[in-house]
Amino acid sequence: MGLRRGHAEFLPTHGRSRRVRRMAFGCALAAALLAGCTPQVHQQGHVSDPEALAEIKPGVQTREEVARLLGTPSAMGTFDDRNWYYISRRTETEAFNAPELVDQSVVVIAFDENGVVAEVASVSTDEARAVVPVDEETATRGRELGLLEQLFGNIGRPTAPRQ
């Protein structure tokens, strides 16, 4: 059985087409794998404008002016609102790895008792300290009641009068 003239011309291009499809699939697969290794950048917190930050001078601006220039702070002091913290951090995550801290900045603005800026400070990543929370529970010593005391403990005790 011989090949017809039309079929002989078709064979070389058919093999080439399969090769081209395989190469295209391989290139697409390699591109997808490389894209998975590209780090994802995450920006969190307050990104302050350097020009707006430069406008804040101790003894000049009030809290309202600072809030207008920089926006609301990321955090305030724990026991008073004299210190405002503007915190931002940038992390990168590659594939399935844990996020890695790339950059972090903390701008602290301290106010005096009149609400006027007393100090503007910047804390760098080098000055930061890691805080590791403790998972232990604090034992509270009190009277431990047994089952019967819990069930029958209020019998016979006077109650508050109802109004």
Side-chain angles (χ1 to χ4, degrees):
M1 213 166 140
L3 292 174
R4 286 191 250 161
R5 185 179 176 136
H7 291 289
E9 293 172 4
F10 177 72
L11 285 177
T13 59
H14 177 67
R16 205 175 313 143
S17 173
R18 184 177 286 167
R19 234 179 296 132
V20 168
R21 274 189 272 148
R22 283 183 184 165
M23 284 194 61
F25 178 74
C27 289
L29 183 62
L33 289 174
L34 288 175
C37 295
T38 303
Q40 294 182 4
V41 177
H42 301 279
Q43 181 70 43
Q44 299 169 322
H46 183 274
V47 181
S48 57
D49 180 18
E51 292 174 5
L53 193 59
E55 286 184 37
I56 298 174
K57 305 285 185 223
V60 177
Q61 277 86 13
T62 62
R63 290 175 198 228
E64 292 78 21
E65 292 170 349
V66 171
R68 185 178 45 78
L69 287 170
L70 298 179
T72 57
S74 304
M76 290 185 179
T78 305
F79 300 108
D80 62 13
D81 61 348
R82 287 178 140 183
N83 294 326
W84 286 8
Y85 302 95
Y86 291 90
I87 306 166
S88 78
R89 65 185 296 173
R90 191 174 65 222
T91 58
E92 286 185 357
T93 306
E94 282 188 26
F96 301 106
N97 297 331
E100 180 180 329
L101 181 64
V102 176
D103 184 37
Q104 176 174 311
S105 71
V106 178
V107 175
V108 182
I109 300 180
F111 297 96
D112 62 13
E113 55 275 345
N114 298 325
V116 178
V117 175
E119 180 184 4
V120 178
S122 181
V123 181
S124 68
T125 308
D126 300 333
E127 298 174 74
R129 292 180 294 185
V131 176
V132 180
V134 178
D135 291 337
E136 297 176 12
E137 293 181 13
T138 303
T140 56
R141 301 289 178 218
R143 187 164 172 242
E144 295 181 16
L145 302 175
L147 177 64
L148 292 177
E149 285 179 305
Q150 290 178 17
L151 292 175
F152 301 112
N154 286 330
I155 294 178
R157 289 191 183 174
T159 60
R162 295 184 186 192
Q163 294 178 351

